[in-house]
Amino acid sequence: MMIRKGVKKVRGLSLQVIPYSEISGLGIAERVKKILNLILSNKIVILQGRLRAEEEARLIEDTMALVDHVRAFKGIELAVIEPDLRKSNVLTKMRHNLARRLVGDSNCLTVIGPAAFIKEIKKDPKKLELWLG
Amino acid sequence: MIGVIKRISQKIFRTIFRRRDNLKIGFYGPPNAGKTSLANRLCKDWTGEEIGTVSNIPHETRNVQVKEKVKIEHNGKNLTFKIVDTPGIATKIDYENFLSFGLKRKEAKKRAKEATQGVIEAIKWLDDMDAVIVVLDSSENPYSQVNITILGNLVARKIPVLIVANKIDLKRSDVKKVSAAFPEYEVVGISVKEGTNMDDFYESLFKLAKKA
């Protein structure tokens, strides 16, 4: 791989995919702890599904507490990509709602990474772009 | 489970004992969207005093600031409420970013530390709100996860929401994009700086207070 002059090489970064089944049985504190432990070891987490709103809030709270206490930890970048159902017909929406009730939001993908490595996650409704820096 | 029961009982308690002239309206949003500028404008116009300082350096508001009994009269209607201006919610805070604004290292570190605590405080206050104005910068991408998380938490708590798309005076401002991102909410575009569209804002504010 060729690295252009002046482009900073990102070292020690890996991706970890967490299937929905791995977190479905965990409580809010355990889920957030599991994610933050991976982030602290410089991993980008790709989570099948999404956290509930209160879990996302808890993730932000715990992240801020860590920024305050862990040297060189600057926080996280977080984005969720999910199917856009706004223009779908009623039947499709019902199917998605039923699936969500049965197996949670497993048709979404959540990307969470350390802010020290991910400069920005650009999101429009249909795609995510990770800007590493 | 305990949290859910606590929230429901708080909601019932608030509904029974809340006086209509004592609504708590929170100002939430990401840093530098103009929450304190909007709160200041309301406070200055209707009480004569500002609520806090504003700055172009992010995280200027690092504590929750409250202004009691703000009484607004608009088109023959009256509304008295409490303004709760909260620190901007962010997922990352890097003290080095403050250095580029001319802050000294020690000062920047102190600001970052206070900012992290401010974010935690802002989230904790969510449970106490009767209604919330989410202030967004209309020149920024609205699909940020922070915006979605704030709105998701308000929906989960059944708190009525008004989205204010601020900074419509900027060239890159795109209120339609904000509306498209959050079609289930009322969005009003304003410029606090230039006082544009404040009449529409007041109309929406009265509607919001009715839902609370």
Side-chain angles (χ1 to χ4, degrees):
Chain A
M1 191 174 75
M2 211 174 77
I3 305 286
R4 269 183 294 150
K5 213 177 172 183
V7 174
K8 218 167 97 184
K9 195 173 171 186
V10 178
R11 287 173 192 276
L13 187 67
S14 64
L15 299 179
Q16 173 128 2
V17 179
I18 305 182
Y20 186 76
S21 57
E22 210 174 296
I23 59 154
S24 59
L26 300 178
I28 180 167
E30 287 83 17
R31 280 185 190 199
V32 169
K33 193 175 168 192
K34 187 180 180 81
I35 292 165
L36 285 175
N37 280 340
L38 291 167
I39 302 290
L40 284 173
S41 54
N42 290 337
K43 288 194 166 87
I44 295 179
V45 176
I46 299 176
L47 177 72
Q48 185 197 8
R50 69 173 303 167
L51 299 172
R52 289 193 298 268
E54 58 269 35
E55 289 171 336
E56 283 177 3
R58 174 69 179 268
L59 178 66
I60 295 175
E61 281 184 272
D62 289 3
T63 298
M64 287 299 116
L66 284 176
V67 170
D68 211 5
H69 290 101
V70 179
R71 210 166 157 246
F73 182 62
K74 297 170 179 179
I76 58 168
E77 275 290 347
L78 163 75
V80 180
I81 192 148
E82 55 193 325
D84 188 1
L85 298 175
R86 278 178 285 182
K87 286 174 188 161
S88 307
N89 58 38
V90 180
L91 199 68
T92 312
K93 282 181 185 169
M94 276 170 64
R95 233 177 22 226
H96 275 273
N97 277 338
L98 183 67
R100 195 164 60 189
R101 278 168 201 274
L102 292 173
V103 292
D105 273 324
S106 57
N107 54 354
C108 306
L109 270 186
T110 305
V111 181
I112 312 163
F117 290 110
I118 301 178
K119 202 172 156 198
E120 195 183 353
I121 301 181
K122 285 190 180 171
K123 183 188 172 188
D124 74 18
K126 287 177 189 161
K127 65 173 183 193
L128 288 183
E129 277 180 275
L130 264 68
W131 292 67
L132 303 179
Chain B
M1 189 65 190
I2 293 166
V4 174
I5 295 167
K6 196 177 152 194
R7 268 212 303 276
I8 293 170
S9 55
Q10 276 175 346
K11 188 91 187 164
I12 293 169
F13 185 84
R14 279 207 306 264
T15 311
I16 296 170
F17 295 101
R18 184 182 65 215
R19 284 165 47 203
R20 291 304 300 170
D21 64 352
N22 200 21
L23 286 177
K24 265 181 270 174
I25 300 186
F27 286 54
Y28 277 81
N32 265 34
K35 297 176 292 300
T36 305
S37 298
L38 178 58
N40 269 348
R41 189 172 183 109
L42 295 181
C43 290
K44 186 93 179 145
D45 287 354
W46 301 100
T47 70
E49 292 170 339
E50 293 191 336
I51 193 168
T53 56
V54 292
S55 150
N56 62 340
I57 311 174
H59 298 284
E60 178 67 13
T61 306
R62 299 185 295 282
N63 291 104
V64 169
Q65 305 177 118
V66 180
K67 191 81 177 171
E68 304 272 352
K69 294 206 162 108
V70 178
K71 193 179 174 189
I72 291 179
E73 289 173 34
H74 181 72
N75 287 346
K77 291 178 279 187
N78 290 309
L79 174 65
T80 306
F81 64 103
K82 188 191 276 188
I83 288 180
V84 183
D85 181 32
T86 66
I89 294 180
T91 58
K92 59 178 179 184
I93 293 172
D94 183 358
Y95 82 90
E96 286 181 349
N97 289 342
F98 301 136
L99 300 176
S100 59
F101 290 93
L103 262 64
K104 293 205 172 84
R105 195 164 290 270
K106 197 178 167 189
E107 212 179 338
K109 280 186 177 175
K110 185 173 175 265
R111 190 182 187 91
K113 191 176 178 60
E114 289 170 356
T116 58
Q117 287 156 2
V119 174
I120 296 171
E121 196 188 354
I123 293 172
K124 297 235 181 290
W125 270 74
L126 270 173
D127 281 326
D128 282 338
M129 297 301 146
D130 297 314
V132 164
I133 295 171
V134 175
V135 183
L136 303 180
D137 179 341
S138 64
S139 69
E140 295 283 337
N141 180 11
Y143 294 100
S144 118
Q145 195 57 38
V146 162
N147 298 345
I148 295 163
T149 301
I150 295 170
L151 288 164
N153 273 275
L154 294 168
V155 170
R157 289 166 171 80
K158 295 187 168 49
I159 298 171
V161 178
L162 167 66
I163 297 179
V164 167
N166 187 26
K167 306 192 186 182
I168 60 167
D169 53 298
L170 297 181
K171 230 179 179 177
R172 284 182 295 123
S173 160
D174 191 346
V175 180
K176 278 186 188 158
K177 195 173 178 184
V178 179
S179 300
F182 309 111
E184 55 274 47
Y185 300 96
E186 184 177 354
V187 176
V188 57
I190 64 166
S191 163
V192 177
K193 191 178 163 192
E194 296 187 351
T196 317
N197 227 11
M198 291 305 285
D199 273 347
D200 284 357
F201 167 73
Y202 283 124
E203 280 300 321
S204 303
L205 178 62
F206 275 85
K207 271 195 255 170
L208 177 73
K210 243 184 190 174
K211 289 184 210 160

